[in-house]
């Protein structure tokens, strides 16, 4: 049929894109992950390299940092989104826009700015010194990494949660009050469950990229703190050991896919999936 | 004050951003009454309902419920329930959980709640729907669930905000009977909001006609239809011929240069008035036998009757009749004296707003 041929023709560029930029790289990584460096013979060595204490500690720290960053983002974003969704005349949407605005700037530039703020001779310590208050010494620590992560990924948490709360019909909330519900009951039985899809997609959108994040760790964590993303990056660049890098990437990928599967389970409507 | 008054609104005024929405509303609602607030959009009827429900606090005035002042009581502390215009069912809960919502808050026992759900679903003819989700129901079914969810709480007053507005004509008509049946079975007060005059006439014991934040008239459907108090009510309730006239003396009014005998008295002599004649009360007769002569200018078949326009003395009369008169035919217009409604002309907006029940 003519129309189906046309449809196939229109879809062709996307197919090329998916094959060229998703499927082929994935196959390449898996190939490298399961082959020996130099000899190209089959091996599990690269995968099992995760048992090396340095790699293992980096993975655990990555998961921990990603978990804390996600939790802090959620605790900051939910009350904010709730308050913003109650504002009238699109004022809430404007504030959300202000929060999202920095996302349009280069990620490295923003992290560099944060470096300037947080460093031991940086702006924040300058102000503290001027006020004769004790200075902070958080540069090159996991704390600095978490601050960087929260700063970078907060908009990804705010946007879906704000949208899900703003979507809740005022009439439904009136109806709950009408049936005798207290403010707390309205929150627990209506607003929280109805905004769950937004929470789920917010968590997914913050947790998944922050597990593999290495730029922030590089610039704010210094050489002292190694995240799994840094380890992989170094294997590919400094170490030139693509096989080991790929092996660790596959391990990381398992964690990412697992976390997404768990999240999707809680997301009854599949709304979070739509955001991805 | 009468004994059976359940809700009494006293001198209620509200304005939004300086725009007056309700001007000094005084209205009482009797126990076990089906009362309808009727008016065009923006007339203040929904605002009045929200004040009764507790979702809005009036700027001035008091809301009295069974003799107690409840003006400052929040909605979750009031013994009334609302059926919202867009149903407002909880989308994440099943039908049974929706209906049980209010009962669970009141900490009723599991058996009690189960019985109540069963009873309510039977009452609204939706037995067996317990485990369905709201989105899987049609608009009419969702509306009936919204009613079920409200009535299981045994409110003394049920507030209904244009509950049938989103339904198609057929569904709306069957729901009208359903609501009247429910009202009679439950024996509670219904406060109903609509902009549909036919709906109001069909269902209500009492109709409150509102416009621009003022009550125009309060009365039974018959009163409102047959004795509209002013041109607004006459125009809003059904179709009317509203013509400028001069009351020459008691029982004689001049319209369009002709003298029509009527039954009204007490307007004085040579007073300008509004004259309302319902289209079905205009009789088309032989040209010589009519009070004035006219020519039929249009003819439409409306099912039950024909709708005709008759041009007579410069005014297009709207006429409903079961007899067809072809376009172009010369006819006489005759109106029985008791079918002529004489009303004072409003001197100003304020006068139009005056709202005492006789």
């Amino acid at each position: 049929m003519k129309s189906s041929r046309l449809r196939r023709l229109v879809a062709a560029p996307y197919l090329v894109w998916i094959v060229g930029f998703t499927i082929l790289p994935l196959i390449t990584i898996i190939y490298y992950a399961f082959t020996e460096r130099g000899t190209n013979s089959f091996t599990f060595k690269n995968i099992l390299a995760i048992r090396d204490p340095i790699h293992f500690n980096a993975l655990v720290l990555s998961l921990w940092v990603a978990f804390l960053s996600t939790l802090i983002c959620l605790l900051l974003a939910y009350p904010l989104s709730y308050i913003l969704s109650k504002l009238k005349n699109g004022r809430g949407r404007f504030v959300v826009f202000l929060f999202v605005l920095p996302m349009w700037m280069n990620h490295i530039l923003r992290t560099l700015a944060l470096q300037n703020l947080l460093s031991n001779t940086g702006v924040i310590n300058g102000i503290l010194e001027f006020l004769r208050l004790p200075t902070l010494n958080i540069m090159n620590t996991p704390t600095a990494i978490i601050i960087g992560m929260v700063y970078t990924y907060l908009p990804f948490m705010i946007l879906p949660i704000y949208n899900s709360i703003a979507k809740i019909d005022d009439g439904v909330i009136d109806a709950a009050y009408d049936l005798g519900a207290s403010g707390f009951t309205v929150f627990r039985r209506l607003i929280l469950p109805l905004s769950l899809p937004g929470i789920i997609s917010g968590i997914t959108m913050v947790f998944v990229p922050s597990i593999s994040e290495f730029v922030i760790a590089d610039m704010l964590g210094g050489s002292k703190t190694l995240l799994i993303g840094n380890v992989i990056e170094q294997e590919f660049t400094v170490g030139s050991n693509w096989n080991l890098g790929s092996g660790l990437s596959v391990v990381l990928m398992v964690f990412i896919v697992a976390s997404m599967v768990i999240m999707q389970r809680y997301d009854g409507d599949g709304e979070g999936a739509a955001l991805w | 004050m009468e004994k059976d008054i359940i809700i009494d609104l006293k001198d209620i005024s509200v304005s939004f951003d300086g725009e007056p929405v309700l001007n000094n509303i005084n209205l009482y609602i009797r126990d076990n009454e089906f009362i309808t607030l009727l008016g065009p959009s923006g007339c203040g009827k929904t605002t009045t309902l929200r004040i009764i429900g507790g979702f809005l606090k009036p700027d001035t005035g008091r809301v009295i419920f069974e003799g107690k002042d409840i003006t400052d009581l929040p909605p979750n502390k009031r013994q009334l329930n609302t059926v919202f215009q867009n149903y407002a069912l909880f989308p994440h809960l099943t039908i049974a959980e929706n209906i049980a919502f209010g009962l669970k808050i009141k900490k009723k026992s599991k058996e009690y709640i189960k019985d109540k759900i069963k009873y309510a679903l039977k009452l609204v003819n939706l037995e067996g729907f317990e485990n369905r989700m709201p989105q899987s129901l049609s608009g009419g079914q969702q509306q009936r669930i919204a009613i079920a969810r409200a009535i299981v709480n045994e409110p003394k007053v049920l507030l209904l905000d244009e509950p049938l507005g989103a339904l198609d004509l057929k569904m709306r008509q069957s729901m009208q009977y359903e609501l009247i049946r429910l009202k009679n079975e439950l024996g509670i007060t219904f406060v109903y909001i609509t902009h549909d005059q036919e709906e109001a006439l069909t269902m209500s014991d009492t109709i409150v006609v509102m416009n621009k934040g003022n009550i125009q008239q309060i009365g039974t459907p018959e009163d409102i239809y047959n004795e509209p108090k002013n041109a607004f009510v006459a125009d809003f309730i059904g179709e009317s011929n509203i013509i400028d006239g001069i009351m020459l003396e008691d029982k004689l009014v001049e319209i369009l240069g002709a003298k029509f005998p009527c039954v009204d008295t007490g307007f004085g002599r040579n007073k300008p008035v509004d004259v309302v004649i319902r289209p079905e009360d205009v009789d088309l007769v032989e040209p010589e036998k009519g009070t004035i002569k006219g020519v039929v200018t249009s003819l439409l078949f409306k099912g039950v009757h024909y709708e005709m326009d008759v041009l007579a003395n410069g005014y297009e009369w709207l006429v409903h009749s079961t007899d067809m008169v072809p376009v172009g035919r010369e006819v006489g217009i005759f109106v029985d004296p008791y079918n002529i409604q004489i009303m004072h002309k409003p001197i100003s907006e304020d006068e139009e707003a005056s709202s005492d029940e006789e």
Side-chain angles (χ1 to χ4, degrees):
Chain A
M1 261 180 38
K2 207 183 159 197
S3 70
S4 84
R5 200 178 299 169
L6 182 75
R7 217 179 292 162
R8 247 180 265 170
L9 199 71
V10 173
Y14 302 105
L15 196 68
V16 171
W17 178 278
I18 291 169
V19 171
F21 295 101
T22 307
I23 296 175
L24 278 182
L26 213 57
I27 291 170
T28 314
I29 286 179
I30 290 169
Y31 170 77
Y32 274 108
F34 288 99
T35 51
E36 179 97 51
R37 192 183 187 188
T39 65
N40 292 344
S41 55
F42 180 81
T43 178
F44 276 116
K45 215 174 78 188
N46 301 318
I47 304 287
L48 296 176
I50 193 67
R51 294 190 301 183
D52 179 320
I54 296 178
H55 299 158
F56 187 74
N57 289 343
L59 179 65
V60 170
L61 185 66
S62 292
L63 290 171
W64 180 239
V65 165
F67 170 77
L68 279 181
S69 309
T70 309
L71 187 69
I72 294 169
C73 279
L74 181 62
L75 293 180
L76 288 175
Y78 200 92
L80 177 79
S81 306
Y82 183 73
I83 294 162
L84 292 181
S85 71
K86 297 278 161 257
L87 295 182
K88 296 266 177 317
N89 306 329
R91 267 181 287 174
R93 212 146 258 298
F94 180 70
V95 178
V96 169
F97 168 75
L98 289 183
F99 271 96
V100 173
L101 201 60
M103 258 166 59
W104 298 342
M105 261 178 283
N106 184 286
H107 179 35
I108 295 173
L109 272 181
R110 272 182 293 151
T111 313
L112 211 58
L114 209 54
Q115 203 176 30
N116 254 310
L117 284 173
L118 296 179
S119 76
N120 294 348
T121 53
V123 178
I124 292 177
N125 272 347
I127 294 169
L128 288 176
E129 232 163 76
F130 178 76
L131 296 172
R132 303 189 182 251
L133 290 166
T135 55
L136 297 171
N137 203 1
I138 52 172
M139 199 59 190
N140 300 335
T141 64
T143 310
I145 298 177
I146 290 173
I147 291 175
M149 297 256 200
V150 169
Y151 169 68
T152 304
Y153 292 114
L154 188 61
F156 292 93
M157 188 67 89
I158 292 176
L159 215 53
I161 294 180
Y162 172 80
N163 282 333
S164 69
I165 297 180
K167 226 173 56 183
I168 299 173
D169 178 14
D170 284 341
V172 169
I173 292 171
D174 277 354
Y177 281 118
D178 187 74
L179 293 166
S182 63
F184 177 71
T185 309
V186 169
F187 178 76
R188 193 174 57 90
R189 303 261 332 255
L190 279 184
I191 294 169
L192 198 60
L194 286 174
S195 61
L196 198 62
I199 296 174
I200 298 298
S201 60
I203 290 175
T204 314
M205 293 187 71
V206 174
F207 187 72
V208 170
S210 51
I211 305 182
S212 53
E213 176 61 59
F214 65 90
V215 173
I216 294 172
D218 244 6
M219 296 173 74
L220 301 178
S223 52
K224 273 190 260 171
T225 337
L226 270 189
L227 296 187
I228 190 71
N230 303 92
V231 174
I232 294 169
E233 185 223 351
Q234 281 169 21
E235 290 305 337
F236 274 98
T237 55
V238 184
S240 302
N241 190 345
W242 285 30
N243 303 79
L244 183 57
S246 298
L248 296 176
S249 296
V250 168
V251 174
L252 184 59
M253 229 179 314
V254 169
F255 276 91
I256 291 173
V257 171
S259 68
M260 286 178 74
V261 167
I262 293 167
M263 283 304 148
Q264 291 313 317
R265 264 209 185 170
Y266 288 101
D267 184 9
D269 303 342
E271 262 172 73
L275 260 156
W276 263 93
Chain B
M1 190 163 85
E2 287 177 58
K3 231 183 166 182
D4 60 346
I5 288 170
I6 186 156
I7 293 174
D8 200 357
L9 301 181
K10 293 190 176 212
D11 307 320
I12 302 277
S13 292
V14 176
S15 51
F16 296 147
D17 301 323
E19 275 300 303
V21 178
L22 290 179
N23 301 320
N24 207 31
I25 294 289
N26 278 291
L27 172 67
Y28 60 83
I29 296 165
R30 289 191 195 90
D31 199 9
N32 204 8
E33 177 177 40
F34 196 127
I35 187 165
T36 299
L37 306 184
L38 173 67
S41 55
C43 72
K45 55 190 192 297
T46 298
T47 308
T48 308
L49 196 78
R50 287 182 71 80
I51 287 172
I52 300 173
F55 298 105
L56 192 73
K57 216 176 258 183
D59 297 342
T60 62
R62 310 309 298 171
V63 182
I64 311 293
F65 181 80
E66 293 190 313
K68 278 185 279 273
D69 189 332
I70 59 161
T71 316
D72 298 320
L73 222 55
N76 50 3
K77 299 258 157 57
R78 296 192 181 195
Q79 269 181 310
L80 17 93
N81 286 110
T82 310
V83 175
F84 293 89
Q85 187 170 12
N86 52 2
Y87 322 139
L89 296 180
F90 307 127
H92 59 304
L93 302 179
T94 65
I95 296 309
E97 288 167 332
N98 262 280
I99 296 173
F101 194 90
L103 299 174
K104 277 187 187 158
I105 287 166
K106 293 189 189 80
K107 302 235 163 27
K108 300 284 188 193
S109 74
K110 270 212 171 96
E111 292 81 59
Y112 178 88
I113 292 177
K114 213 173 153 194
D115 282 356
K116 269 287 183 187
I117 292 171
K118 217 163 168 193
Y119 159 78
L121 284 176
K122 194 173 168 177
L123 205 60
V124 297
N125 286 327
L126 288 175
E127 287 153 289
F129 274 65
E130 280 91 346
N131 296 318
R132 299 272 295 269
M133 294 306 281
Q135 302 91 294
S136 72
L137 269 56
S138 73
Q141 290 170 334
Q142 288 190 39
Q143 189 56 78
R144 279 186 275 169
I145 295 301
I147 293 166
R149 183 179 65 178
I151 59 178
V152 290
N153 300 289
E154 297 173 354
K156 293 197 172 149
V157 178
L158 191 65
L159 309 176
L160 301 108
D161 185 5
E162 301 212 26
L164 310 183
L167 305 179
D168 62 60
L169 182 67
K170 201 111 202 188
M171 180 62 95
R172 207 153 64 219
Q173 283 169 344
S174 76
M175 279 298 288
Q176 287 176 11
Y177 294 111
E178 197 95 325
L179 281 171
I180 296 169
R181 178 183 66 79
L182 266 174
K183 157 88 185 45
N184 293 334
E185 246 169 83
L186 293 166
I188 59 172
T189 310
F190 274 34
V191 181
Y192 192 92
I193 292 222
T194 185
H195 60 261
D196 184 333
Q197 43 100 6
E198 230 178 273
E199 209 167 278
L201 292 171
T202 310
M203 302 169 76
S204 320
D205 299 322
T206 305
I207 294 179
V208 180
V209 184
M210 296 182 70
N211 188 34
K212 291 179 182 161
N214 297 299
I215 292 176
Q216 301 292 327
Q217 187 171 356
I218 302 174
T220 64
E222 290 85 353
D223 284 348
I224 301 265
Y225 190 85
N226 293 329
E227 315 266 331
K229 234 172 124 185
N230 57 38
F232 172 81
V233 176
D235 193 37
F236 195 74
I237 308 285
E239 291 169 294
S240 306
N241 295 291
I242 302 173
I243 313 167
D244 289 333
I246 295 165
M247 201 67 185
L248 296 173
E249 55 191 76
D250 279 358
K251 301 190 181 182
L252 190 65
V253 63
E254 185 187 307
I255 325 169
L256 307 169
K259 291 183 178 105
F260 282 77
C262 61
V263 294
D264 296 78
T265 57
F267 283 83
R269 288 176 158 269
N270 300 320
K271 274 277 157 59
V273 288
D274 278 330
V275 179
V276 170
I277 301 167
R278 295 287 181 192
E280 64 271 23
D281 292 335
V282 179
D283 295 331
L284 298 185
V285 294
E286 302 284 313
E288 306 76 46
K289 290 183 181 163
T291 317
I292 50 175
K293 277 185 218 168
V295 177
V296 178
T297 56
S298 91
L299 172 70
L300 282 173
F301 178 58
K302 288 286 202 174
V304 186
H305 61 256
Y306 292 94
E307 184 180 296
M308 286 165 278
D309 286 338
V310 177
L311 186 65
N313 292 15
Y315 181 81
E316 285 243 305
W317 294 67
L318 183 68
V319 182
H320 289 172
S321 169
T322 46
D323 300 321
M324 197 251 310
V325 182
V327 173
R329 175 80 59 87
E330 206 186 10
V331 290
I333 284 179
F334 175 78
V335 186
D336 269 331
Y338 58 83
N339 282 332
I340 295 178
Q341 279 292 318
I342 310 288
M343 296 173 313
H344 287 289
K345 277 202 169 296
I347 297 161
S348 66
E349 283 262 314
D350 288 341
E351 229 253 358
E352 192 177 358
S354 80
S355 61
D356 317 31
E357 213 176 351
E358 52 251 56

